[in-house]
Amino acid sequence: MGSIRQRQLKLGAILAGVGTDFSQWRDPELPSNASIDIDWYIQNARLAEEARFDLVFIVDSPFITPDTAPHFLNRLEPLTLLSALAVSTSRIGLVGTLTTTYWEPYNVARLFGSLDHISKGRAGWNVVTTGLEGASRNYGKDKHLDHALRYQRAEEFVDVVKGLWDSYEDDAFPYDKENDVFLDKSKQHALNHKGEFLSVAGPLALSRSPQGYPVIFQAGDSNAGRQLGAQIADGTFAAVEDFESALEYYKDLKARAKALGRDPDAIHVLPGIAPIIAETDEKAREIAIEREGSLDIEKKLVALGRAFNYHDFRQYPLDEPFPDISNLTLNSYKGHAERILRGVASGNLTLRQAAERYGGWRLSFVGSPETVANEIERWFVGGAVDGFNIRVTNPRDFRAFREYVIPILQKRGLFRTEYEGTTLRDHLGLPVPENRWTARKREDPSHAAAA
């Protein structure tokens, strides 16, 4: 390719503790309390950093039931956890989930702005609107906000948070001890936002962080979710099942971004995968079959039901057609639920077949290191992804990926051998956004005079 730099694969590590699949928590190498063990997180974040991953990712949701998967039942709060990782690592990005439906912009702006300062520019916010309807009762609400309204609120919410991050121009604090000038008051700006959902005065009591704004991620897959991602996101954690669905998502999201006047290449699409790697393809398939077989049908039904706000599918006959659930609102994980229903209809699936297909983590790259690397390259070069988020639970799986798959990707020139920058924006090739008040003064000097 001459002097043109080859496009580089992006890799994230989903630190999933004891796991989301009901079975891997029993692995002898995995601490039974991994999801609340800060030493486990620090160890694996450092291992991901040594392997030159772009980021670690902490998932979250504010509602559980007794049947919820092990990691979800008992896990650390993301921002507290990421702050500990910030002082235990030096380069890897630190991405956590916070909901726009049950938080307030001032809190979120302060938390992620603080994390970006603590980590010296490595913070990322995964914007979610909360899928599970039961969360409303944990926040003093009788009813979960309607799906469409959740996304409208999220759009306004992110805009307000960015406005708060711009409360101070970059040179607002001269720290001039000799002349007793701590703050240049002309460079502090109240937001005074009054919108459809939110009213926030500001300013935020925190200077702009090293990245200007922490990196924004988003994970919605419904039509509204994709549109929000195209509008606000620097990266998306796509939920796809196979190469064809990944390709469709990728093309759709990039087209939406372009239609909004954005550079499509500025959004990084990173679906989650759970590779199973062994010496040979046959051995890896045996491990995959063994793990799949370790999950009984009841657990798969519970996992299936999560997309429908933990609807209890155990009440229906297994080997009859998929039950009529038209009475459900789909006001939870709407995109995922709709994808399941489309698959059920197109395949005319029974409930058992639907649970087998959708009741586990389907997107697992299985085979020898060479086979898994080939599949990663196929998706990446084929224009279906910009990278992947690797689920980290089973110690052997993560070790095999780091020690055997990554060197193959590096040898092919697809993945870095060293970090070239220090911030998450550096890793992802994203510019630091200009402070809005500085930009206005530059574009219209009368603003500076007015200030």
Side-chain angles (χ1 to χ4, degrees), residues 271-302:
I273 61 174
I276 297 176
I277 302 155
E279 296 85 356
T280 65
D281 292 351
E282 292 74 16
K283 179 62 176 175
R285 282 194 291 268
E286 288 175 9
I287 295 171
I289 292 169
E290 180 183 353
R291 289 187 189 172
E292 183 73 13
S294 70
L295 287 183
D296 62 49
I297 191 64
E298 282 215 357
K299 289 176 180 175
K300 292 179 181 179
L301 290 169
V302 170

mmCIF file of all heavy atoms in Angstrom, residues 271-302:
data_model
loop_
_atom_site.group_PDB
_atom_site.id
_atom_site.type_symbol
_atom_site.label_atom_id
_atom_site.label_comp_id
_atom_site.label_asym_id
_atom_site.label_seq_id
_atom_site.Cartn_x
_atom_site.Cartn_y
_atom_site.Cartn_z
ATOM 1 N N PRO A 271 -18.456 -4.811 17.567
ATOM 2 C CA PRO A 271 -19.341 -5.822 18.157
ATOM 3 C C PRO A 271 -18.614 -6.678 19.186
ATOM 4 O O PRO A 271 -17.383 -6.771 19.178
ATOM 5 C CB PRO A 271 -19.781 -6.662 16.953
ATOM 6 C CG PRO A 271 -18.721 -6.462 15.936
ATOM 7 C CD PRO A 271 -18.185 -5.075 16.149
ATOM 8 N N GLY A 272 -19.380 -7.299 20.065
ATOM 9 C CA GLY A 272 -18.804 -8.170 21.079
ATOM 10 C C GLY A 272 -18.665 -9.594 20.586
ATOM 11 O O GLY A 272 -19.557 -10.122 19.914
ATOM 12 N N ILE A 273 -17.557 -10.217 20.909
ATOM 13 C CA ILE A 273 -17.353 -11.633 20.571
ATOM 14 C C ILE A 273 -16.729 -12.350 21.769
ATOM 15 O O ILE A 273 -16.130 -11.735 22.649
ATOM 16 C CB ILE A 273 -16.461 -11.827 19.322
ATOM 17 C CG1 ILE A 273 -15.064 -11.245 19.539
ATOM 18 C CG2 ILE A 273 -17.127 -11.223 18.099
ATOM 19 C CD1 ILE A 273 -14.085 -11.536 18.404
ATOM 20 N N ALA A 274 -16.898 -13.671 21.778
ATOM 21 C CA ALA A 274 -16.340 -14.506 22.840
ATOM 22 C C ALA A 274 -15.564 -15.648 22.194
ATOM 23 O O ALA A 274 -16.063 -16.772 22.084
ATOM 24 C CB ALA A 274 -17.449 -15.043 23.736
ATOM 25 N N PRO A 275 -14.352 -15.401 21.749
ATOM 26 C CA PRO A 275 -13.596 -16.436 21.029
ATOM 27 C C PRO A 275 -13.287 -17.646 21.906
ATOM 28 O O PRO A 275 -12.990 -17.515 23.101
ATOM 29 C CB PRO A 275 -12.296 -15.717 20.635
ATOM 30 C CG PRO A 275 -12.600 -14.263 20.736
ATOM 31 C CD PRO A 275 -13.598 -14.137 21.834
ATOM 32 N N ILE A 276 -13.359 -18.810 21.300
ATOM 33 C CA ILE A 276 -12.927 -20.056 21.933
ATOM 34 C C ILE A 276 -11.784 -20.592 21.083
ATOM 35 O O ILE A 276 -11.962 -20.910 19.907
ATOM 36 C CB ILE A 276 -14.079 -21.073 22.029
ATOM 37 C CG1 ILE A 276 -15.192 -20.520 22.919
ATOM 38 C CG2 ILE A 276 -13.566 -22.413 22.563
ATOM 39 C CD1 ILE A 276 -16.409 -21.415 23.003
ATOM 40 N N ILE A 277 -10.610 -20.682 21.691
ATOM 41 C CA ILE A 277 -9.381 -20.962 20.944
ATOM 42 C C ILE A 277 -8.708 -22.206 21.520
ATOM 43 O O ILE A 277 -8.583 -22.345 22.735
ATOM 44 C CB ILE A 277 -8.424 -19.751 21.029
ATOM 45 C CG1 ILE A 277 -9.116 -18.500 20.468
ATOM 46 C CG2 ILE A 277 -7.119 -20.023 20.291
ATOM 47 C CD1 ILE A 277 -8.560 -17.211 21.019
ATOM 48 N N ALA A 278 -8.284 -23.094 20.634
ATOM 49 C CA ALA A 278 -7.547 -24.298 21.049
ATOM 50 C C ALA A 278 -6.494 -24.612 19.999
ATOM 51 O O ALA A 278 -6.376 -23.908 18.992
ATOM 52 C CB ALA A 278 -8.507 -25.474 21.233
ATOM 53 N N GLU A 279 -5.746 -25.685 20.231
ATOM 54 C CA GLU A 279 -4.656 -26.019 19.314
ATOM 55 C C GLU A 279 -5.169 -26.291 17.907
ATOM 56 O O GLU A 279 -4.495 -25.965 16.916
ATOM 57 C CB GLU A 279 -3.901 -27.256 19.816
ATOM 58 C CG GLU A 279 -3.193 -27.056 21.156
ATOM 59 C CD GLU A 279 -4.133 -27.290 22.340
ATOM 60 O OE1 GLU A 279 -5.345 -27.531 22.111
ATOM 61 O OE2 GLU A 279 -3.653 -27.227 23.484
ATOM 62 N N THR A 280 -6.345 -26.891 17.801
ATOM 63 C CA THR A 280 -6.929 -27.219 16.505
ATOM 64 C C THR A 280 -8.377 -26.764 16.474
ATOM 65 O O THR A 280 -9.007 -26.541 17.515
ATOM 66 C CB THR A 280 -6.891 -28.739 16.242
ATOM 67 O OG1 THR A 280 -7.745 -29.394 17.207
ATOM 68 C CG2 THR A 280 -5.475 -29.292 16.357
ATOM 69 N N ASP A 281 -8.926 -26.660 15.261
ATOM 70 C CA ASP A 281 -10.337 -26.308 15.111
ATOM 71 C C ASP A 281 -11.227 -27.350 15.784
ATOM 72 O O ASP A 281 -12.230 -27.010 16.427
ATOM 73 C CB ASP A 281 -10.703 -26.221 13.627
ATOM 74 C CG ASP A 281 -10.036 -25.035 12.922
ATOM 75 O OD1 ASP A 281 -9.437 -24.196 13.630
ATOM 76 O OD2 ASP A 281 -10.131 -24.963 11.686
ATOM 77 N N GLU A 282 -10.857 -28.621 15.642
ATOM 78 C CA GLU A 282 -11.679 -29.694 16.208
ATOM 79 C C GLU A 282 -11.748 -29.583 17.728
ATOM 80 O O GLU A 282 -12.821 -29.722 18.328
ATOM 81 C CB GLU A 282 -11.109 -31.066 15.803
ATOM 82 C CG GLU A 282 -11.222 -31.389 14.320
ATOM 83 C CD GLU A 282 -10.237 -30.615 13.447
ATOM 84 O OE1 GLU A 282 -9.249 -30.056 14.002
ATOM 85 O OE2 GLU A 282 -10.469 -30.556 12.218
ATOM 86 N N LYS A 283 -10.606 -29.332 18.363
ATOM 87 C CA LYS A 283 -10.581 -29.212 19.815
ATOM 88 C C LYS A 283 -11.390 -28.002 20.270
ATOM 89 O O LYS A 283 -12.133 -28.077 21.269
ATOM 90 C CB LYS A 283 -9.130 -29.093 20.286
ATOM 91 C CG LYS A 283 -8.982 -28.940 21.804
ATOM 92 C CD LYS A 283 -9.516 -30.135 22.564
ATOM 93 C CE LYS A 283 -9.263 -29.996 24.048
ATOM 94 N NZ LYS A 283 -9.884 -31.089 24.827
ATOM 95 N N ALA A 284 -11.285 -26.893 19.554
ATOM 96 C CA ALA A 284 -12.047 -25.698 19.921
ATOM 97 C C ALA A 284 -13.543 -25.959 19.803
ATOM 98 O O ALA A 284 -14.335 -25.524 20.659
ATOM 99 C CB ALA A 284 -11.637 -24.531 19.037
ATOM 100 N N ARG A 285 -13.963 -26.669 18.751
ATOM 101 C CA ARG A 285 -15.394 -26.980 18.595
ATOM 102 C C ARG A 285 -15.874 -27.897 19.716
ATOM 103 O O ARG A 285 -17.000 -27.772 20.201
ATOM 104 C CB ARG A 285 -15.633 -27.616 17.225
ATOM 105 C CG ARG A 285 -15.648 -26.609 16.077
ATOM 106 C CD ARG A 285 -16.215 -27.213 14.808
ATOM 107 N NE ARG A 285 -15.339 -28.225 14.239
ATOM 108 C CZ ARG A 285 -14.404 -27.976 13.319
ATOM 109 N NH1 ARG A 285 -14.225 -26.742 12.873
ATOM 110 N NH2 ARG A 285 -13.656 -28.946 12.843
ATOM 111 N N GLU A 286 -15.036 -28.823 20.143
ATOM 112 C CA GLU A 286 -15.406 -29.692 21.268
ATOM 113 C C GLU A 286 -15.642 -28.870 22.533
ATOM 114 O O GLU A 286 -16.605 -29.118 23.280
ATOM 115 C CB GLU A 286 -14.289 -30.717 21.517
ATOM 116 C CG GLU A 286 -14.182 -31.794 20.464
ATOM 117 C CD GLU A 286 -12.979 -32.697 20.707
ATOM 118 O OE1 GLU A 286 -12.340 -32.563 21.791
ATOM 119 O OE2 GLU A 286 -12.660 -33.527 19.829
ATOM 120 N N ILE A 287 -14.771 -27.893 22.777
ATOM 121 C CA ILE A 287 -14.941 -27.033 23.960
ATOM 122 C C ILE A 287 -16.236 -26.238 23.850
ATOM 123 O O ILE A 287 -16.991 -26.106 24.823
ATOM 124 C CB ILE A 287 -13.735 -26.080 24.099
ATOM 125 C CG1 ILE A 287 -12.463 -26.879 24.383
ATOM 126 C CG2 ILE A 287 -13.980 -25.056 25.199
ATOM 127 C CD1 ILE A 287 -11.190 -26.054 24.326
ATOM 128 N N ALA A 288 -16.509 -25.710 22.640
ATOM 129 C CA ALA A 288 -17.732 -24.921 22.436
ATOM 130 C C ALA A 288 -18.969 -25.767 22.670
ATOM 131 O O ALA A 288 -19.926 -25.329 23.325
ATOM 132 C CB ALA A 288 -17.742 -24.337 21.024
ATOM 133 N N ILE A 289 -18.963 -26.992 22.143
ATOM 134 C CA ILE A 289 -20.111 -27.888 22.317
ATOM 135 C C ILE A 289 -20.291 -28.249 23.789
ATOM 136 O O ILE A 289 -21.408 -28.282 24.303
ATOM 137 C CB ILE A 289 -19.934 -29.158 21.450
ATOM 138 C CG1 ILE A 289 -20.036 -28.796 19.963
ATOM 139 C CG2 ILE A 289 -20.968 -30.210 21.823
ATOM 140 C CD1 ILE A 289 -19.611 -29.915 19.032
ATOM 141 N N GLU A 290 -19.174 -28.487 24.472
ATOM 142 C CA GLU A 290 -19.247 -28.822 25.896
ATOM 143 C C GLU A 290 -19.849 -27.657 26.699
ATOM 144 O O GLU A 290 -20.696 -27.862 27.571
ATOM 145 C CB GLU A 290 -17.852 -29.152 26.412
ATOM 146 C CG GLU A 290 -17.816 -29.519 27.898
ATOM 147 C CD GLU A 290 -16.406 -29.778 28.390
ATOM 148 O OE1 GLU A 290 -15.473 -29.809 27.566
ATOM 149 O OE2 GLU A 290 -16.234 -29.933 29.616
ATOM 150 N N ARG A 291 -19.421 -26.438 26.400
ATOM 151 C CA ARG A 291 -19.958 -25.282 27.123
ATOM 152 C C ARG A 291 -21.433 -25.070 26.817
ATOM 153 O O ARG A 291 -22.223 -24.758 27.697
ATOM 154 C CB ARG A 291 -19.159 -24.028 26.770
ATOM 155 C CG ARG A 291 -17.770 -24.017 27.355
ATOM 156 C CD ARG A 291 -17.097 -22.681 27.123
ATOM 157 N NE ARG A 291 -15.689 -22.735 27.487
ATOM 158 C CZ ARG A 291 -14.828 -21.781 27.251
ATOM 159 N NH1 ARG A 291 -15.231 -20.669 26.628
ATOM 160 N NH2 ARG A 291 -13.566 -21.905 27.615
ATOM 161 N N GLU A 292 -21.784 -25.218 25.554
ATOM 162 C CA GLU A 292 -23.192 -25.056 25.181
ATOM 163 C C GLU A 292 -24.047 -26.095 25.877
ATOM 164 O O GLU A 292 -25.135 -25.803 26.369
ATOM 165 C CB GLU A 292 -23.325 -25.185 23.659
ATOM 166 C CG GLU A 292 -24.727 -24.964 23.127
ATOM 167 C CD GLU A 292 -25.165 -23.511 23.153
ATOM 168 O OE1 GLU A 292 -24.295 -22.633 23.358
ATOM 169 O OE2 GLU A 292 -26.363 -23.257 22.989
ATOM 170 N N GLY A 293 -23.524 -27.319 25.952
ATOM 171 C CA GLY A 293 -24.282 -28.387 26.591
ATOM 172 C C GLY A 293 -24.409 -28.253 28.084
ATOM 173 O O GLY A 293 -25.277 -28.848 28.719
ATOM 174 N N SER A 294 -23.520 -27.447 28.695
ATOM 175 C CA SER A 294 -23.571 -27.267 30.150
ATOM 176 C C SER A 294 -24.711 -26.363 30.582
ATOM 177 O O SER A 294 -25.030 -26.286 31.772
ATOM 178 C CB SER A 294 -22.239 -26.693 30.650
ATOM 179 O OG SER A 294 -22.081 -25.351 30.239
ATOM 180 N N LEU A 295 -25.325 -25.669 29.629
ATOM 181 C CA LEU A 295 -26.452 -24.787 29.965
ATOM 182 C C LEU A 295 -27.754 -25.550 29.788
ATOM 183 O O LEU A 295 -28.078 -26.009 28.695
ATOM 184 C CB LEU A 295 -26.453 -23.554 29.048
ATOM 185 C CG LEU A 295 -25.388 -22.492 29.290
ATOM 186 C CD1 LEU A 295 -25.605 -21.328 28.339
ATOM 187 C CD2 LEU A 295 -25.425 -22.002 30.718
ATOM 188 N N ASP A 296 -28.529 -25.682 30.868
ATOM 189 C CA ASP A 296 -29.812 -26.342 30.718
ATOM 190 C C ASP A 296 -30.808 -25.386 30.076
ATOM 191 O O ASP A 296 -30.617 -24.171 30.013
ATOM 192 C CB ASP A 296 -30.315 -26.875 32.065
ATOM 193 C CG ASP A 296 -30.551 -25.786 33.087
ATOM 194 O OD1 ASP A 296 -31.219 -24.789 32.764
ATOM 195 O OD2 ASP A 296 -30.068 -25.924 34.231
ATOM 196 N N ILE A 297 -31.905 -25.961 29.601
ATOM 197 C CA ILE A 297 -32.870 -25.197 28.819
ATOM 198 C C ILE A 297 -33.518 -24.088 29.644
ATOM 199 O O ILE A 297 -33.848 -23.020 29.119
ATOM 200 C CB ILE A 297 -33.936 -26.139 28.209
ATOM 201 C CG1 ILE A 297 -34.791 -25.386 27.177
ATOM 202 C CG2 ILE A 297 -34.778 -26.760 29.293
ATOM 203 C CD1 ILE A 297 -34.017 -24.902 25.968
ATOM 204 N N GLU A 298 -33.666 -24.300 30.954
ATOM 205 C CA GLU A 298 -34.293 -23.258 31.786
ATOM 206 C C GLU A 298 -33.446 -21.994 31.802
ATOM 207 O O GLU A 298 -33.980 -20.879 31.751
ATOM 208 C CB GLU A 298 -34.520 -23.766 33.215
ATOM 209 C CG GLU A 298 -35.715 -24.683 33.354
ATOM 210 C CD GLU A 298 -36.415 -24.503 34.696
ATOM 211 O OE1 GLU A 298 -35.937 -23.714 35.519
ATOM 212 O OE2 GLU A 298 -37.446 -25.154 34.899
ATOM 213 N N LYS A 299 -32.123 -22.143 31.878
ATOM 214 C CA LYS A 299 -31.246 -20.973 31.886
ATOM 215 C C LYS A 299 -31.282 -20.266 30.533
ATOM 216 O O LYS A 299 -31.212 -19.032 30.454
ATOM 217 C CB LYS A 299 -29.830 -21.387 32.248
ATOM 218 C CG LYS A 299 -29.697 -21.792 33.716
ATOM 219 C CD LYS A 299 -28.309 -22.301 34.053
ATOM 220 C CE LYS A 299 -28.213 -22.686 35.523
ATOM 221 N NZ LYS A 299 -26.909 -23.291 35.854
ATOM 222 N N LYS A 300 -31.391 -21.040 29.471
ATOM 223 C CA LYS A 300 -31.498 -20.420 28.149
ATOM 224 C C LYS A 300 -32.817 -19.665 28.007
ATOM 225 O O LYS A 300 -32.868 -18.609 27.365
ATOM 226 C CB LYS A 300 -31.364 -21.483 27.060
ATOM 227 C CG LYS A 300 -29.963 -22.084 26.985
ATOM 228 C CD LYS A 300 -29.860 -23.156 25.923
ATOM 229 C CE LYS A 300 -28.449 -23.752 25.894
ATOM 230 N NZ LYS A 300 -28.311 -24.822 24.897
ATOM 231 N N LEU A 301 -33.865 -20.176 28.603
ATOM 232 C CA LEU A 301 -35.149 -19.477 28.571
ATOM 233 C C LEU A 301 -35.080 -18.164 29.351
ATOM 234 O O LEU A 301 -35.659 -17.151 28.942
ATOM 235 C CB LEU A 301 -36.254 -20.368 29.138
ATOM 236 C CG LEU A 301 -36.656 -21.563 28.285
ATOM 237 C CD1 LEU A 301 -37.566 -22.502 29.074
ATOM 238 C CD2 LEU A 301 -37.354 -21.109 27.003
ATOM 239 N N VAL A 302 -34.372 -18.184 30.472
ATOM 240 C CA VAL A 302 -34.192 -16.951 31.246
ATOM 241 C C VAL A 302 -33.414 -15.930 30.426
ATOM 242 O O VAL A 302 -33.772 -14.745 30.372
ATOM 243 C CB VAL A 302 -33.471 -17.244 32.577
ATOM 244 C CG1 VAL A 302 -33.057 -15.936 33.259
ATOM 245 C CG2 VAL A 302 -34.370 -18.057 33.506
#
